[in-house]
Amino acid sequence: MPDTADQPSDLPADWPHRSSSRTVSAAGLRWHVQRAGTGPLVLLVHGTAGATHTWHDVVPLLTPWADVLAIDLPGHGFTTGETPDQLSLRGMTEALRELLRVLDVHPAIGVGHSAGAAVLLQLCSSREVAPHSIIGINSALVSLNALGQLFQPFSRALADVGWLRGAAATLLRSGTLTRALLRSTGSPLDPAQEARYVSLLTSERRVAAALRMMSHWELDPLLATFPSLTLPVTLVHSSNEPWVPLDDLLRTTRTLANRTVIDVSPAGHLIPDEQPQRVAAIIRDTWESRRASPA
C-alpha cells in the first residue's frame, strides 16, 4: 500500500474537489493527488504553474464513468519535496512514473494540458507506461509560453538566486502583472478560478519551481522519439490561442505516427476552463472509440 495521508495542510478550504485530495509519498516527494470515480483510469496532468484546479469543471463530467486521477506536478500546487532535477522534463517524468508505480495504477487515457502533454508523451516514450491514448490540450511542444517568454532570458538566475526569485514573486504578487499574464492566455476566467491561479503565481516557492522547470525544459529529446511512438495521440487545440501557435504544433508533431487534431476554436490557452464539456466529451469519445477498435 502506498504511504498516504490526509489533505495537504495548506490546501485551501475552498479548493476544488478538496474531499478527493490526498498526499502520497513517492520518489522522495509528497504528492498532492485527487482521485474519484470508477471505471477506466483517466490521468490528468496540468501545465506550467498550474495544479489540479485546472480540471475543476472537467472532473465531475468524467467521474460517472471513469476513475479520475489528477495530480500536482513536482513543485507545483501542493506537491512538495522536489529536487532541481525533478523540475526538468525527464526528471518530472521519472517522478511521475514512480508515483504511478506506488499507486499501482495503469492509465487507460492520459490527458495533459500545455506542458502536461509533454510530460505524458515523455512518460509513454519508454513504453513502461502504455495508455490506450494520449490527449494533449493546447500542447506545449513548441516555443516557450508567455510565462517563459517573460522570464526565460534570466529564468535560471531567478530560480537559483533567492532575492531575485523573491523579486519575481513580488512582481507577480502586485496583481496587475499576474492578471495581465492570465489575460494573455486569451481565456476568460471566473473570479474564483482567477484567484486560484493568482495564488499559485504569487507564491515564491511555486514561482521558483515554474522558473526552474522552464530553464530545464528540453523538448528535442522528446521530439526525437515521435517517429517510434505509435499510440494514438489526439491534439485538442485552438487555432487562435496565443501561447502555442497551431502551425508550429502541427510542424513539430508531424512525425507522430497516429496523430489526430481537433480544433476547438475559438478558445484561449486554458481550454479546460473555457470548454470543460467539450474536453470531457472528447475524453469520453476517445475512450469509446479505442475500446471499440479491434485489439
Side-chain angles (χ1 to χ4, degrees), residues 121-178:
L121 288 166
Q122 180 76 44
L123 184 70
C124 295
S125 67
S126 68
R127 308 296 195 277
E128 293 177 38
V129 178
H132 294 288
S133 306
I134 292 293
I135 300 173
I137 303 172
N138 281 352
S139 307
L141 299 172
V142 292
S143 59
L144 290 168
N145 63 26
L147 188 62
Q149 291 168 1
L150 182 63
F151 288 117
Q152 195 274 339
F154 44 99
S155 61
R156 192 177 298 272
L158 281 168
D160 295 334
V161 179
W163 72 267
L164 284 174
R165 185 173 63 243
T170 299
L171 184 63
L172 290 167
R173 195 177 298 123
S174 68
T176 301
L177 179 58
T178 304

Side-chain angles (χ1 to χ4, degrees), residues 19-32:
S19 63
S20 299
S21 289
R22 294 291 183 270
T23 58
V24 179
S25 296
L29 294 149
R30 294 291 286 173
W31 294 81
H32 172 227

Side-chain angles (χ1 to χ4, degrees), residues 3-215:
D3 176 15
T4 62
D6 291 333
Q7 293 94 347
S9 59
D10 57 342
L11 189 69
D14 63 348
W15 195 256
H17 314 302
R18 190 180 195 277
S19 63
S20 299
S21 289
R22 294 291 183 270
T23 58
V24 179
S25 296
L29 294 149
R30 294 291 286 173
W31 294 81
H32 172 227
V33 306
Q34 294 186 328
R35 193 171 184 184
T38 57
L41 184 70
V42 176
L43 173 62
L44 304 177
V45 183
H46 64 80
T48 308
T52 57
H53 74 301
T54 293
W55 314 101
H56 72 303
D57 283 336
V58 176
V59 168
L61 301 172
L62 301 179
T63 51
W65 64 272
D67 177 4
V68 181
L69 175 63
I71 66 159
D72 286 348
L73 287 169
H76 289 65
F78 304 94
T79 293
T80 59
E82 72 282 353
T83 65
D85 182 64
Q86 287 173 326
L87 295 172
S88 66
L89 177 55
R90 183 170 296 279
M92 279 191 170
T93 301
E94 291 174 354
L96 178 55
R97 183 181 297 113
E98 177 64 10
L99 173 65
L100 298 178
R101 187 194 68 78
V102 168
L103 291 173
D104 191 24
V105 296
H106 305 279
I109 296 178
V111 185
H113 174 245
S114 193
V119 171
L120 287 172
L121 288 166
Q122 180 76 44
L123 184 70
C124 295
S125 67
S126 68
R127 308 296 195 277
E128 293 177 38
V129 178
H132 294 288
S133 306
I134 292 293
I135 300 173
I137 303 172
N138 281 352
S139 307
L141 299 172
V142 292
S143 59
L144 290 168
N145 63 26
L147 188 62
Q149 291 168 1
L150 182 63
F151 288 117
Q152 195 274 339
F154 44 99
S155 61
R156 192 177 298 272
L158 281 168
D160 295 334
V161 179
W163 72 267
L164 284 174
R165 185 173 63 243
T170 299
L171 184 63
L172 290 167
R173 195 177 298 123
S174 68
T176 301
L177 179 58
T178 304
R179 287 175 173 82
L181 181 62
L182 290 171
R183 285 195 299 273
S184 77
T185 67
S187 295
L189 298 173
D190 65 53
Q193 188 70 335
E194 179 180 277
R196 294 181 190 111
Y197 280 107
V198 170
S199 72
L200 299 178
L201 285 167
T202 55
S203 159
E204 182 175 338
R205 175 182 71 81
R206 297 181 182 102
V207 168
L211 291 169
R212 285 197 176 100
M213 181 179 175
M214 289 184 294
S215 67

